[in-house]
Amino acid sequence: MIIGDSNRNYTIIKPEPPLLVTESHPDSLDLNSDGIFEIKFSISPIPTITGIGEKTEITTKNKLQILLSEMNLPDTLSIKSVLNRDSIWSGTDPITILLQSYACYSYFHCLGWGYFLNTSGKYMGYKLGDKFGWILVDSSSSQLMIKEYTVLR
């Protein structure tokens, strides 16, 4: 499957306005229209040397798999990226995976990490059974905007 292309196995959803995930407003998606949410997005506070920071995570269930990088973090993809069985996928067990966070080692030295740190127009690949889909997001340290996703048929 190629990200962005139409296919009879899924419907592309573009919520208007885009779904906004913040610390006070987590959100979930039902990616196969079975009435059960397969993925939850959340932002939560973390302590740092310079005060409180935030981390963005996803939690999966119902055998949803997420496309991972070689570092076992969700990978950022561009339009026209190919999703297939040979990619690196998370297991089918429920899991919580970090999208982005940061750590401060001093008042002057803070490092962000995670592939979804301050991204715009990046896709997250997912697999449910033998079908593939994607979620298009923009992210910052305090919010995640879900701009498009596929619902599998």
Side-chain angles (χ1 to χ4, degrees):
M1 181 230 259
I2 298 175
I3 290 177
D5 287 355
S6 295
N7 184 301
R8 61 182 169 78
N9 293 326
Y10 54 82
T11 302
I12 299 173
I13 306 294
K14 295 182 181 188
E16 256 327 299
L19 303 175
L20 185 62
V21 177
T22 64
E23 185 179 333
S24 62
H25 188 264
D27 213 334
S28 301
L29 297 175
D30 177 3
L31 299 172
N32 61 357
S33 295
D34 65 355
I36 301 170
F37 295 112
E38 280 77 35
I39 189 168
K40 178 182 178 184
F41 297 87
S42 62
I43 298 176
S44 56
I46 56 171
T48 70
I49 290 174
T50 59
I52 299 295
E54 292 183 313
K55 65 180 175 180
T56 305
E57 296 177 308
I58 57 172
T59 302
T60 66
K61 64 180 185 177
N62 299 331
K63 302 189 184 224
L64 180 74
Q65 295 176 269
I66 300 296
L67 181 72
L68 301 175
S69 69
E70 292 176 357
M71 295 184 65
N72 284 329
L73 292 173
D75 208 352
T76 53
L77 305 169
S78 300
I79 196 160
K80 302 296 181 188
S81 294
V82 175
L83 300 174
N84 61 44
R85 287 184 182 90
D86 297 332
S87 301
I88 301 170
W89 296 98
S90 65
T92 56
D93 291 335
I95 190 169
T96 298
I97 308 172
L98 184 74
L99 291 182
Q100 68 85 23
S101 183
Y102 71 92
C104 293
Y105 301 101
S106 72
Y107 286 100
F108 305 104
H109 185 64
C110 293
L111 295 174
W113 58 288
Y115 293 112
F116 284 88
L117 181 68
N118 298 321
T119 62
S120 179
K122 291 297 182 179
Y123 294 85
M124 177 187 320
Y126 73 84
K127 181 175 132 174
L128 199 52
D130 60 352
K131 296 180 181 176
F132 304 93
W134 68 80
I135 302 166
L136 173 61
V137 301
D138 288 351
S139 68
S140 69
S141 62
S142 61
Q143 69 180 30
L144 181 83
M145 187 178 306
I146 301 168
K147 298 167 70 177
E148 174 183 295
Y149 62 97
T150 53
V151 174
L152 305 175
R153 295 183 199 151

